[in-house]
Amino acid sequence: NPPAQWMRFARFDESVSSAYPASAHVTHRSSQGSEDPPPRYLMFFAYHMVSEFAMAQIMKISRSRLSREESQARTRTRLLEAARSLFGRDGYAATSVERIAEHAGYSKGAAYANFASKQALFLAVLKQQGQERLDALVAAIGKAADADEVCALLAAWADERSSSGGWTLTILEFARQAGRDPVAFQLPERVIREHWRQLGAALHVRFPPLAARVDQFTLGALLHEIAYAPIITLIGTPTSGQLMKAALAGLIGGCETEVEHDRPSKRGAA
């Protein structure tokens, strides 16, 4: 008795004969020596088995490829997290690719397999962390109810950026080293200018009259420089947020600010 699966294919004999008439001319030699056409369901059963085997191999290769891609993405993410932490804490010069790899739990070879150099790692961190915060800020500006809320958002962003003073100084350290090679600073300059443009453009959309007073690059640069000003990271007052409100008051109105003149410096407080 043929297996049930064979019989399932046998039921297609008639439809196969009409759909594929050429199959009726395929012959095989019987045990009596005569040539008879093989049962079509056997042909399709064989085709089905080969197809299933081929599909299984394709899926196995796809899973293996996906696993490699996922593993590489995970490695890259951990390296970027380690680089962000070490660059911000220890600066650019003191942070090596080997230290970043060790901090992330990988070999130096794994780091270089994902990033060509320490500079490439730094640029990836610069772009990623700046863009993440900027995306959230731009989205919030678009949803803000009025100028006062926009001022509060930008002031909070400036204070948060100022509090991460180590990263600001790291950018300056990188710029100082890259200054010896003008070509080396072209990529980070493009990243920074794009961040300026995005913030300026968001404010132009939110407050259309601004476009006639200041272009988006200048506006974005002004606000970024207030947020990332290196000296402000060391001195208590005025805060970056207060400077931000003072600048915006003349641009979009509102933005009340009070300066605490007797506030101690951040370095003295530390």
Side-chain angles (χ1 to χ4, degrees):
N1 293 328
Q5 192 174 15
W6 288 26
M7 296 306 296
R8 179 163 58 88
F9 284 98
R11 296 188 190 103
F12 292 105
D13 255 10
E14 294 304 321
S15 59
V16 168
S17 179
S18 59
Y20 300 96
S23 64
H25 302 292
V26 179
T27 60
H28 74 292
R29 187 169 295 279
S30 68
S31 57
Q32 287 76 27
S34 60
E35 290 187 349
D36 300 312
R40 296 183 188 88
Y41 69 86
L42 289 182
M43 294 171 59
F44 268 76
F45 178 72
Y47 171 79
H48 172 75
M49 296 302 291
V50 171
S51 298
E52 282 194 342
F53 175 78
M55 184 59 68
Q57 295 304 306
I58 292 172
M59 294 299 295
K60 183 177 179 181
I61 293 171
S62 298
R63 283 193 297 269
S64 175
R65 182 176 301 163
L66 181 61
S67 177
R68 287 196 301 271
E69 291 174 353
E70 290 174 341
S71 177
Q72 186 175 16
R74 184 167 56 249
T75 300
R76 184 180 177 87
T77 297
R78 290 179 179 174
L79 288 169
L80 285 171
E81 290 172 352
R84 179 186 299 195
S85 174
L86 293 179
F87 281 137
R89 188 188 71 189
D90 303 332
Y92 183 77
T95 302
S96 65
V97 173
E98 187 172 5
R99 285 188 60 211
I100 292 171
E102 183 180 355
H103 192 78
Y106 296 105
S107 67
K108 185 167 67 173
Y112 279 117
N114 287 272
F115 300 94
S117 63
K118 183 172 80 169
Q119 184 184 88
L121 247 173
F122 177 80
L123 293 177
V125 173
L126 175 67
K127 183 175 182 179
Q128 182 191 64
Q129 80 156 3
Q131 193 65 54
E132 285 174 356
R133 287 171 172 80
L134 190 59
D135 286 343
L137 178 63
V138 167
I141 288 172
K143 297 176 182 178
D146 52 31
D148 284 333
E149 188 174 344
V150 172
C151 280
L153 287 168
L154 286 164
W157 169 70
D159 281 336
E160 187 272 332
R161 290 290 74 212
S162 177
S163 67
S164 62
W167 181 250
T168 301
L169 296 174
T170 297
I171 295 174
L172 293 177
E173 185 182 359
F174 174 83
R176 182 180 180 185
Q177 290 195 9
R180 303 166 190 165
D181 179 10
V183 176
F185 197 67
Q186 288 180 357
L187 285 176
E189 182 180 356
R190 283 202 291 269
V191 171
I192 293 169
R193 284 185 175 277
E194 175 58 18
H195 290 170
W196 291 352
R197 186 200 65 77
Q198 289 181 40
L199 182 55
L203 288 170
H204 277 184
V205 171
R206 191 66 180 75
F207 305 101
L210 270 179
R213 300 176 60 188
V214 58
D215 67 88
Q216 59 189 17
F217 282 102
T218 302
L219 178 59
L222 170 66
L223 304 185
H224 268 88
E225 288 308 293
I226 292 173
Y228 284 87
I231 298 301
I232 292 296
T233 66
L234 306 175
I235 300 176
T237 54
T239 67
S240 293
Q242 289 166 340
L243 290 178
M244 182 68 73
K245 287 182 178 181
L248 289 170
L251 293 171
I252 62 176
C255 307
E256 295 181 1
T257 180
E258 295 179 2
V259 178
E260 303 172 13
H261 296 287
D262 58 347
R263 185 175 177 182
S265 69
K266 297 176 184 177
R267 176 164 291 192

